[in-house]
Amino acid sequence: MSNKAKILVVDDDHDLVEVLKAVLEGESYDVVVAYNGKEAVAKAKKENPDLILLDIIMPEKDGFLTAEELKKDPAFAKTPILALTSFSGGDMGQPFPFEVEEYIMKSTSPKDILKKVAAHLERKGI
Amino acid sequence: MNNNFVEGKEAEFTPEEAALILRLKVFVRWRWGAIFGIIIATIIASLVSHIGFPTLPVYILCVFVAFYNLLLWHLTLRLKEVSTGLLLAKGRAIGIIHIYLDLIAFTVLMHLTGGIENPFIFLFVLHVITAGILLHYRTAYTVTTVAFLMITAMVMLEYAGVIPHVNLEGFILPYRYRQASRVLAILAALAVVLYGSTYLASAISGELKKRQRQVLKLQKQLLEEKTSELDMRTHEVDKLEEQKKHFLSFLGMAAHDLKAPLAAIQGFLWLILNGYTGQINAKQKDMLERSNRRIDGLGGLISDLLDIPRIEAGQLVHEMKEISLAEIVQRCVDDLGNIAKGKGLDLNVELPENLPAIYGSDIRIQQVLTNLVNNALNYTMWGSVTIRVSDFDTEQQVEVIDTGIGIPPEELPRLFSDFFRGSNVAVKGTGLGLSISKRIIKAHGGRIWAESPYADSGKGSKFTFTLPKRSTY
C-alpha cells in the first residue's frame, strides 16, 4: 500500500465522497477527503496528494476557484486534477473556463473513473 | 467659407425662421431691382416719352435707397447669429424697418414724380402685401394705415399748396391734382386696394404660419412618442434578457441538484454490485442491476428535459464553431462500435475524402448522430447500419440507414414530437431523443427527416439531416 498513490477527493456530497473513497481504497489507493474548496486547498498543502478528484459545484468556494488556486501554486502545478461534474457536455453551453487535466461525468461508472485515475497517474510516472 | 458656415447653421432654424430670413434677403434683392427699375423708368419717361419732370432728385433718392439697402443687407446677415429664441422677434423688427423705409422712400418718389398724377402710386400695394406676409396682421394693418395716411398727407399738402407739386409735363394735365373729386376717387380706390391686399396677404400668410407650427408640433410630438416607445421596448428586451439569464442559471442548478443524488445512488449500487459490502445473491443482483438501469434512464430523461429549454433559449449559438463531421462520425463509431458488434450488425461508414469543416456545435451534432445511430442499432435485428456523409454546394448531409424493423407509415408524421415512442419497439427511451435532435438541427438552420421503408427489402428506415454551410446563413 505504501507505494500506491495518494488521492485527494473533494465533493460537498458526503455520500459520493464515501462511494469514491470506497472505490479508490478498494484499489489500495491512499485516500484523503475534503468537503469544500477551502478545506481542499488546506488538505492538499498538508497531504501533498498525487492526484485530485475535484467536484465543480460546491457552495462558497467552487471547483473552478479551487482548481485555479491549486494550479497557481508551484507545488501543485503538475498535480493532475480530474474535475467531477454532473453536467453533460452541452449543459455548460461553452468550454469550461479553466484547464484541468480532464472532466469526468459524475454518472461515469466507478470502473471507468478508476481507469482514468490510473491513466493519469501512469502518465505522471507513479 | 463664410457662406458655408451660414448655410450649415440655417439647418437648425425652424421652418418659420428660415422663411423669414429668406424673405428678408429676397426683399433686399428686389430693392436692387426696384432701384434699377426706377432709374430705367425715369430715363424712359424723360428721354423717350418726353415727360417733363426734374430727374436729379429721383436719382438722389435712388442713392439714398441703395444706401439703406446695404445697411439692411448687413442687418439681415447678422440676424443668423442671434440666439434662436429672439430670432423671430428681431427678424420682424428688421422687416418693419424695411417696410417703413420703403414707405418713406416711395412716398418721396411719388412726390417727386407727380404725386397723385403718377399711376405707379398703386405700387404701394406691394408694400402692404410685403407687410401682410411678413408681419403680425395687426402690425400689417398699421403699416397699411400709415402708408395710406402718408399718401393722403402728400396729396392733401400738394392740393393745399403747402408743398410744391411736380407736374408730369406732357403726360397729365397740370391741374389734375387739384380736381378734388378725381383725387378723392383715386385715394378711395387706393384705400380699397391697400386694405384688401393687406387682408388677403395676412390671411394667407397667417394660415401658412399656423400650418407650419402645426406640422412642427406634430413632428415633435411624433418624435417624442416614438422615442418613448423605443425606450419602453429596449427596457422590455433588457428585462427579457435578464429573465432568460435567470432561467438558464436556474436550469443549471436544477440539472446539478437532480443529477447529484443519482450519482450517489449509482455509486452505492455499484459498490454493492461489485461485492464491496459482501456477497449478494442472484436475485438481489438482478434487482440492483435493474435499479441501476432505471436510474440511467432517469438521468437521460433529466438531461433531455433540461436540454429542450436551453436549445429553445438560443443557447446553441454560443457553442458553434468550425467542426468536422468526419471526426464526429469517427467518435460515434468509437462509442457505438461495440454495441453493433455485440448484436452482430455491420456498422458502415461512407465518408467523402477531404470533407471540409462546417459551422456548428460539436457536442450537439455528436448528440444528434449518436441518437440516430443508437436508434438504428436498437431497432435492427440483423443486417447493417450505414452512416453516409455527403458534401453539397450549400450544405453537408448525413444519412443514417438501417435494415431494421422500419417505422409504421402512420407514425412517421409524429416521429419528431416530444415524448413520441414507436408502437412496434420493445426498447423504451425517453421519447425525447428525436424531438431534441430536430431542435438542434433547426437551431443550426438545417433540416431533419425520416423515410421508411427505405432498403430494397421494403424494410428499414433512413434518417437524414443537413447542415447549411456558413455562407448561406
Side-chain angles (χ1 to χ4, degrees):
Chain A
M1 199 186 266
S2 58
N3 60 351
K4 269 286 186 178
K6 186 186 275 183
I7 295 169
L8 172 60
V9 176
V10 189
D11 199 317
D12 63 316
D13 187 327
H14 289 236
D15 287 336
L16 199 71
V17 170
E18 196 183 326
V19 169
L20 288 169
K21 190 168 188 280
V23 169
L24 291 166
E25 280 177 350
E27 295 295 308
S28 316
Y29 288 112
D30 194 0
V31 180
V32 283
V33 301
Y35 297 104
N36 59 56
K38 221 170 136 190
E39 199 186 345
V41 176
K43 273 277 167 70
K45 282 181 178 159
K46 190 173 154 226
E47 302 281 351
N48 199 21
D50 298 299
L51 183 143
I52 300 167
L53 279 172
L54 179 65
D55 181 31
I56 295 298
I57 310 291
M58 290 186 291
E60 289 176 64
K61 191 180 216 162
D62 68 17
F64 294 135
L65 290 172
T66 309
E68 204 185 336
E69 190 176 336
L70 287 171
K71 283 289 177 192
K72 264 191 213 152
D73 189 334
F76 306 109
K78 290 200 170 132
T79 308
I81 297 178
L82 308 190
L84 291 169
T85 167
S86 50
F87 290 126
S88 60
D91 289 349
M92 280 300 289
Q94 47 213 327
F96 288 104
F98 70 98
E99 288 298 318
V100 295
E101 272 66 16
E102 189 168 353
Y103 283 94
I104 299 175
M105 291 285 295
K106 279 189 178 172
S107 55
T108 307
S109 104
K111 203 172 91 189
D112 291 331
I113 294 181
L114 283 174
K115 266 193 214 159
K116 286 177 196 287
V117 167
H120 279 283
L121 286 172
E122 198 179 336
R123 206 169 299 155
K124 214 193 147 202
I126 297 169
Chain B
M1 232 0 233
N2 189 37
N3 230 359
N4 284 346
F5 171 70
V6 166
E7 276 170 19
K9 222 186 152 192
E10 221 160 357
E12 293 165 24
F13 297 139
T14 65
E16 204 179 344
E17 288 168 347
L20 180 67
I21 291 174
L22 182 74
R23 282 192 195 123
L24 289 176
K25 281 178 166 180
V26 166
F27 293 154
V28 171
R29 265 181 234 132
W30 282 2
R31 201 169 288 113
W32 293 124
I35 293 168
F36 184 71
I38 293 167
I39 293 170
I40 296 292
T42 306
I43 291 170
I44 290 173
S46 60
L47 297 182
V48 181
S49 304
H50 303 293
I51 300 171
F53 65 97
T55 50
L56 185 65
V58 174
Y59 295 134
I60 292 171
L61 181 71
C62 285
V63 172
F64 169 70
V65 174
F67 172 72
Y68 78 67
N69 202 25
L70 277 176
L71 205 75
L72 288 172
W73 178 248
H74 182 67
L75 277 178
T76 308
L77 285 185
R78 285 260 315 262
L79 192 60
K80 291 176 180 178
E81 291 154 29
V82 171
S83 63
T84 11
L86 290 171
L87 201 143
L88 275 183
K90 284 217 170 184
R92 290 217 180 94
I94 292 173
I96 291 172
I97 297 172
H98 276 243
I99 289 160
Y100 281 117
L101 280 172
D102 282 349
L103 276 184
I104 292 165
F106 200 64
T107 311
V108 172
L109 179 70
M110 286 303 104
H111 173 62
L112 295 176
T113 55
I116 198 79
E117 294 175 6
N118 191 337
F120 283 103
I121 201 164
F122 275 89
L123 286 188
F124 269 106
V125 79
L126 290 180
H127 295 103
V128 303
I129 288 174
T130 305
I133 291 170
L134 211 59
L135 305 174
H136 189 267
Y137 73 96
R138 257 181 261 144
T139 322
Y141 279 111
T142 310
V143 168
T144 307
T145 306
V146 169
F148 186 67
L149 287 177
M150 282 171 81
I151 298 162
T152 312
M154 178 195 74
V155 170
M156 290 305 171
L157 290 174
E158 284 184 14
Y159 182 85
V162 179
I163 53 170
H165 170 72
V166 178
N167 175 235
L168 299 175
E169 274 173 47
F171 181 63
I172 283 184
L173 296 173
Y175 50 83
R176 181 64 57 80
Y177 81 101
R178 291 192 61 94
Q179 282 184 327
S181 59
R182 194 179 172 90
V183 169
L184 280 177
I186 291 175
L187 282 179
L190 199 59
V192 170
V193 169
L194 291 188
Y195 282 102
S197 312
T198 308
Y199 169 74
L200 287 176
S202 58
I204 292 168
S205 135
E207 190 64 25
L208 194 72
K209 282 178 200 156
K210 210 168 91 192
R211 290 267 183 274
Q212 276 179 340
R213 287 193 199 120
Q214 275 175 347
V215 167
L216 209 68
K217 202 174 136 197
L218 227 77
Q219 258 180 353
K220 218 174 125 190
Q221 208 175 323
L222 222 75
L223 194 72
E224 271 167 18
E225 267 173 34
K226 290 286 164 208
T227 310
S228 79
E229 200 175 314
L230 192 71
D231 282 349
M232 221 166 71
R233 296 273 175 265
T234 314
H235 185 69
E236 275 170 18
V237 169
D238 286 349
K239 224 168 94 186
L240 282 174
E241 273 303 315
E242 189 65 23
Q243 280 174 357
K244 193 171 118 179
K245 242 171 82 184
H246 272 293
F247 176 59
L248 288 172
S249 102
F250 171 81
L251 282 183
M253 284 319 292
H256 175 265
D257 289 357
L258 285 169
K259 285 176 182 177
L262 298 186
I265 294 168
Q266 281 193 304
F268 284 127
L269 288 176
W270 190 86
L271 287 174
I272 299 168
L273 277 166
N274 286 274
Y276 282 71
T277 54
Q279 280 297 313
I280 51 169
N281 64 37
K283 194 161 176 104
Q284 287 169 329
K285 188 167 184 263
D286 175 55
M287 286 182 175
L288 289 175
E289 275 170 352
R290 279 154 71 178
S291 303
N292 197 34
R293 276 200 296 277
R294 295 305 296 266
I295 290 170
D296 272 341
L298 185 56
L301 179 64
I302 290 167
S303 292
D304 285 354
L305 283 176
L306 296 174
D307 263 355
I308 292 171
R310 206 170 271 120
I311 295 166
E312 290 190 342
Q315 289 306 97
L316 257 55
V317 210
H318 304 302
E319 302 171 15
M320 295 201 188
K321 55 180 202 283
E322 294 276 306
I323 59 168
S324 157
L325 281 179
E327 279 175 24
I328 289 171
V329 169
Q330 190 52 54
R331 281 203 299 269
C332 183
V333 172
D334 290 346
D335 285 350
L336 302 175
N338 280 335
I339 297 175
K341 210 186 265 176
K343 290 186 76 171
L345 299 171
D346 291 329
L347 183 54
N348 307 318
V349 173
E350 294 174 23
L351 261 176
E353 271 180 50
N354 301 324
L355 185 70
I358 196 160
Y359 195 71
S361 162
D362 196 49
I363 295 161
R364 299 298 181 174
I365 298 302
Q366 176 86 64
Q367 189 179 343
V368 172
L369 185 66
T370 302
N371 180 248
L372 294 181
V373 175
N374 220 348
N375 286 346
L377 291 171
N378 274 337
Y379 307 140
T380 305
M381 298 308 129
W382 54 83
S384 64
V385 172
T386 304
I387 306 170
R388 180 190 297 150
V389 182
S390 316
D391 185 33
F392 300 123
D393 280 348
T394 57
E395 59 186 18
Q396 287 179 9
Q397 178 182 289
V398 179
E399 292 158 296
V400 176
I401 304 153
D402 66 52
T403 56
I405 54 175
I407 303 154
E410 69 276 12
E411 289 182 3
L412 268 174
R414 288 183 293 139
L415 211 53
F416 293 94
S417 318
D418 289 335
F419 298 109
F420 174 80
R421 295 180 184 88
S423 61
N424 58 344
V425 295
V427 197
K428 300 285 184 195
T430 61
L432 291 171
L434 284 177
S435 75
I436 290 172
S437 292
K438 186 174 183 178
R439 285 180 172 91
I440 292 172
I441 296 303
K442 266 176 85 177
H444 280 77
R447 292 162 292 134
I448 185 167
W449 68 93
E451 293 159 69
S452 183
Y454 181 69
D456 295 334
S457 58
K459 282 213 152 195
S461 46
K462 182 178 86 159
F463 283 78
T464 310
F465 69 85
T466 65
L467 291 176
K469 291 185 175 173
R470 206 179 184 184
S471 57
T472 62
Y473 267 57

